[in-house]
Amino acid sequence: MLELTYKTLFQNIRPFFSSTILRRGWEYFREDMVERFHIDSDSTVQAIIYGSNLYKVRLDMKRFSSSECSCPYNGYCKHMAAVIYEAVRQAGLQPIQFLTPDRKLIIDSKPAANNKSADTLEPVQAEMDLGEFQVVTSTSNRGISNPGTPVYAEVAPKAVKRVTFPKESGSVADWHLYFDKKFGNYAIYSSGALDKFFLEVSTKLLVFGEGWSPLTLVLYEIHVLLFTMKRADELQQQMERNYSYHSHTFGQGLRNISKQCYERFIALDSQSITAEVCKLYPNHLRETASFLSVYGSPIHSSMMPWRDTYNLLWWGILRDKNRIRDEKIRLELVLNHPQINPRQQQDISMKLALFDVIEGNDEQAMQRTKKLVNRQPGWYVFFLQALLSNQDWDRLIHWLKWLRPLVQSSGTSHMELYFHYWQEAAKHQELEEEWLGIVCSMLPSSFTYYSGYLLKHQKYRQWIDLQMIFERTPFEIEKESLKLIEAHDKNLLLPLYHFSVERFILQKNRVAYKSAARLLKKLNQYYKQLGELEYWNQYLLHIKKQFSRYRAFQEELQKGKLIQ
């Protein structure tokens, strides 16, 4: 057991600290920031302090000058003071006496040689809430020679829950109480401050999880992210209310937070821990589901990825037959509420569709969402990705076929992602003809994908025809594609260049004439390399005569030394 006396504390240890450091150390002690307290011997202790970072403290109570803390403070710091309060408590003494000593205890503790006199110890001159005791001190000058002996009076415990730092054994509610305490009043006064928000929340909250079991840490980090999104929503509303005249300037910062949160959710989801978490942490998962039911459907226009996050968590760690049943009942009640607005109806319908897909009822999910107004292909991306991850190719193809009209009517914004899923499915199924039919039916929106397919399968003549049908000139085509066909057969490129030359000439402006002259010079090179200069001369003579009245064009031919 650690052996400490008030005499040792007042004479050999307390003089090392200023009253300010003692007050700050008391705050850390009161908030349970001292963790992993360990007594190495009858005089040496070690502990971890949770602050802005994790700090290691080692105290030698007999030779206190050799004590140390890993924090950057140059001297005897608040972390060391906090550990002393815990050491005093473990030794069976009253920690409050180290903060604000009783006059009688100080007098009874005779001063040690070469040390600061005990009667110069500073009482904390303030009225402080110390939990079970209320300490009232005088406002007199330094020292206790003046009247000012602290008076201790027991007070009733507060009814509110005591907020301590997050612990591995804590509940989700406990974690969020601390999150709110730490960042509930976080204010944003400029768009630049938003860029620091995600990093600051992550840095100051994730530090508590160091040393926890991997499963608990995953759950904890999930809730740090959920809190970040919740707080970002609150900040967005605050900015729209107070800075509406330039709230758009905060948009990019909020989008960055949204992106970082969801990327981290995906990284956590990839750790494949669903079964173990469901077995070991049913209460945490129940609280997680409750949190999403409260905050996962914001009434205002949120920039946070609530729908995707909801989908990801319910597809993963929250997936449980009974829990899904209860959530569906809750959603149906909301959906049938007479005052539900169209936006809420969309949100609830897509969430119910998620559970349809989880249960394998794809047709029901399609019918449930088909009637929603302003549908977007992006609403269904999670379903496609989930089926792809599960390698459920038949269901994925069924969804892709069903989504074709919606994707086609939405333009090119979702085309790339749509064909990405088609290509992934085609790697595992005989789908080439079917895929080609889909691509051709969606032209011109699918031009890039059809063009790429033709190149990949060396259907170069069809590729050239496609470029001319959509009036693309060599200036608009990737150089690598032209070089590929040039290496295969230069003859295939001649029609494309002839077609493009005449298109530029018919535009009847100087810039277009210059472009036509550049293409003619390239054509000249091709004909030389093919050994067909006779055909080149005939073609050039034809062009010169056909457009002889286009004086500016004739001048460009002369500048390019194509004609004399």
Side-chain angles (χ1 to χ4, degrees):
M1 181 177 177
L2 185 64
E3 295 182 2
L4 278 180
T5 65
Y6 288 122
K7 180 177 180 179
T8 301
L9 289 170
F10 296 155
Q11 293 181 4
N12 301 336
I13 298 177
R14 199 174 187 279
F16 285 93
F17 295 94
S18 69
S19 59
T20 299
I21 292 297
L22 289 174
R23 282 194 296 270
R24 291 175 179 172
W26 180 260
E27 292 172 3
Y28 272 57
F29 171 69
R30 282 276 294 121
E31 292 185 4
D32 284 347
M33 304 296 268
V34 181
E35 185 74 358
R36 306 180 201 174
F37 183 91
H38 177 69
I39 301 174
D40 288 342
S41 65
D42 61 351
S43 64
T44 306
V45 300
Q46 294 193 48
I48 296 293
I49 297 291
Y50 288 97
S52 54
N53 290 294
L54 282 177
Y55 298 119
K56 296 180 180 179
V57 175
R58 187 192 67 81
L59 302 181
D60 188 330
M61 297 304 190
K62 287 185 178 178
R63 294 185 304 155
F64 196 77
S65 59
S66 65
S67 301
E68 57 188 0
C69 176
S70 63
C71 79
Y73 184 77
N74 185 21
Y76 299 90
C77 63
K78 57 188 177 182
H79 311 112
M80 298 169 76
V83 176
I84 290 175
Y85 291 123
E86 179 61 24
V88 171
R89 188 186 69 80
Q90 300 251 0
L93 305 179
Q94 296 182 23
I96 189 64
Q97 293 294 345
F98 191 75
L99 174 66
T100 313
D102 190 297
R103 179 180 178 85
K104 184 177 184 302
L105 287 176
I106 295 174
I107 293 174
D108 290 343
S109 301
K110 296 181 181 180
N114 300 322
N115 268 346
K116 186 176 180 180
S117 174
D119 64 2
T120 62
L121 298 176
E122 300 177 31
V124 180
Q125 298 174 4
E127 184 172 325
M128 303 171 59
D129 177 9
L130 302 175
E132 296 180 357
F133 296 94
Q134 186 74 16
V135 179
V136 183
T137 67
S138 73
T139 57
S140 61
N141 294 327
R142 294 169 61 91
I144 60 170
S145 55
N146 296 322
T149 303
V151 178
Y152 301 94
E154 290 195 18
V155 296
K158 293 185 177 179
V160 297
K161 182 177 179 63
R162 184 179 177 186
V163 180
T164 63
F165 67 89
K167 297 181 180 179
E168 185 173 6
S169 60
S171 66
V172 167
D174 292 336
W175 294 345
H176 280 273
L177 278 173
Y178 183 83
F179 299 165
D180 282 319
K181 174 187 175 184
K182 194 74 175 177
F183 289 98
N185 294 322
Y186 192 96
I188 297 293
Y189 300 104
S190 68
S191 56
L194 272 175
D195 298 332
K196 303 176 184 177
F197 176 70
F198 179 85
L199 179 61
E200 189 170 350
V201 172
S202 300
T203 301
K204 292 187 176 181
L205 295 183
L206 291 181
V207 66
F208 295 108
E210 293 186 14
W212 293 10
S213 70
L215 295 180
T216 316
L217 183 57
V218 167
L219 279 172
Y220 178 71
E221 186 167 354
I222 284 173
H223 279 277
V224 170
L225 294 169
L226 289 172
F227 170 78
T228 302
M229 291 165 56
K230 183 194 84 167
R231 189 71 188 111
D233 272 350
E234 294 167 351
L235 291 171
Q236 179 184 341
Q237 293 178 75
Q238 173 190 326
M239 288 181 288
E240 289 174 350
R241 183 170 59 251
N242 298 333
Y243 309 104
S244 58
Y245 54 92
H246 68 118
S247 60
H248 63 280
T249 62
F250 296 98
Q252 187 56 51
L254 290 167
R255 282 187 287 272
N256 288 340
I257 292 173
S258 174
K259 181 175 181 290
Q260 291 176 97
C261 284
Y262 192 62
E263 286 177 350
R264 189 57 197 151
F265 272 123
I266 292 174
L268 291 171
D269 183 67
S270 67
Q271 297 183 22
S272 302
I273 57 166
T274 304
E276 291 181 85
V277 170
C278 291
K279 181 179 179 181
L280 297 174
Y281 300 95
N283 292 333
H284 286 74
L285 296 180
R286 176 182 52 78
E287 289 183 280
T288 303
S290 297
F291 184 95
L292 287 174
S293 70
V294 175
Y295 298 102
S297 302
I299 299 176
H300 72 288
S301 180
S302 171
M303 292 187 181
M304 296 300 106
W306 285 111
R307 179 180 293 165
D308 288 337
T309 299
Y310 182 96
N311 292 345
L312 195 67
L313 294 180
W314 274 103
W315 189 276
I317 64 171
L318 293 179
R319 188 191 292 203
D320 172 81
K321 184 177 180 180
N322 294 329
R323 197 160 32 239
I324 288 176
R325 179 202 61 212
D326 294 342
E327 178 67 359
K328 288 175 66 176
I329 292 173
R330 184 188 73 82
L331 292 172
E332 291 286 0
L333 288 173
V334 176
L335 188 63
N336 294 323
H337 195 280
Q339 295 183 353
I340 189 172
N341 61 46
R343 179 175 176 175
Q344 291 171 310
Q345 185 180 24
Q346 287 180 354
D347 180 68
I348 300 301
S349 296
M350 290 305 300
K351 287 175 178 175
L352 286 168
L354 168 71
F355 296 118
D356 292 336
V357 175
I358 288 176
E359 295 167 346
N361 299 325
D362 292 342
E363 290 295 336
Q364 183 170 319
M366 292 171 182
Q367 292 304 315
R368 186 190 299 276
T369 62
K370 187 176 182 180
K371 57 188 177 183
L372 297 177
V373 296
N374 300 321
R375 284 190 307 141
Q376 299 295 325
W379 295 2
Y380 301 89
V381 168
F382 182 86
F383 301 166
L384 301 179
Q385 184 59 43
L387 295 174
L388 173 63
S389 298
N390 288 350
Q391 299 185 7
D392 200 336
W393 308 118
D394 291 337
R395 292 178 67 193
L396 176 60
I397 293 165
H398 182 50
W399 272 100
L400 289 170
K401 290 179 180 178
W402 184 78
L403 284 170
R404 184 183 65 80
L406 179 61
V407 174
Q408 189 169 10
S409 65
S410 300
T412 59
S413 57
H414 295 91
M415 199 72 67
E416 182 176 354
L417 202 55
Y418 178 75
F419 281 110
H420 162 73
Y421 289 112
W422 264 112
Q423 290 166 348
E424 288 298 315
K427 293 177 182 178
H428 304 274
Q429 303 282 330
E430 292 296 329
L431 295 171
E432 183 171 328
E433 289 188 15
E434 191 167 15
W435 183 83
L436 272 177
I438 293 287
V439 172
C440 292
S441 70
M442 297 178 72
L443 287 169
S445 299
S446 61
F447 172 88
T448 301
Y449 310 97
Y450 187 42
S451 177
Y453 168 83
L454 295 174
L455 271 183
K456 181 179 179 180
H457 291 82
Q458 298 184 1
K459 298 184 178 184
Y460 298 137
R461 189 174 297 280
Q462 291 174 256
W463 183 87
I464 291 291
D465 291 341
L466 182 68
Q467 308 307 309
M468 292 192 294
I469 288 171
F470 287 96
E471 299 184 343
R472 297 189 80 206
T473 71
F475 299 126
E476 300 168 294
I477 299 171
E478 298 80 8
K479 292 182 180 180
E480 291 74 15
S481 301
L482 293 173
K483 288 180 180 179
L484 183 65
I485 298 178
E486 184 180 315
H488 177 75
D489 186 356
K490 296 180 178 65
N491 278 298
L492 294 175
L493 290 172
L494 298 180
L496 175 64
Y497 277 82
H498 285 296
F499 176 77
S500 299
V501 165
E502 296 198 19
R503 277 197 63 223
F504 279 121
I505 295 172
L506 292 173
Q507 290 180 29
K508 298 181 182 180
N509 63 72
R510 178 70 71 170
V511 174
Y513 294 153
K514 289 181 179 181
S515 297
R518 286 175 59 192
L519 293 178
L520 285 168
K521 293 175 76 172
K522 187 65 177 179
L523 264 175
N524 185 19
Q525 292 178 17
Y526 285 151
Y527 276 111
K528 283 181 181 180
Q529 292 167 0
L530 292 167
E532 297 178 356
L533 282 176
E534 182 179 349
Y535 287 106
W536 160 253
N537 291 328
Q538 290 177 4
Y539 173 69
L540 183 61
L541 181 61
H542 167 74
I543 288 292
K544 179 182 176 182
K545 288 182 178 180
Q546 183 177 359
F547 302 104
S548 58
R549 294 183 181 181
Y550 293 19
R551 184 177 301 173
F553 173 61
Q554 298 293 325
E555 290 174 359
E556 292 301 325
L557 292 179
Q558 291 174 356
K559 288 180 182 178
K561 298 181 181 180
L562 292 164
I563 62 174
Q564 299 298 323

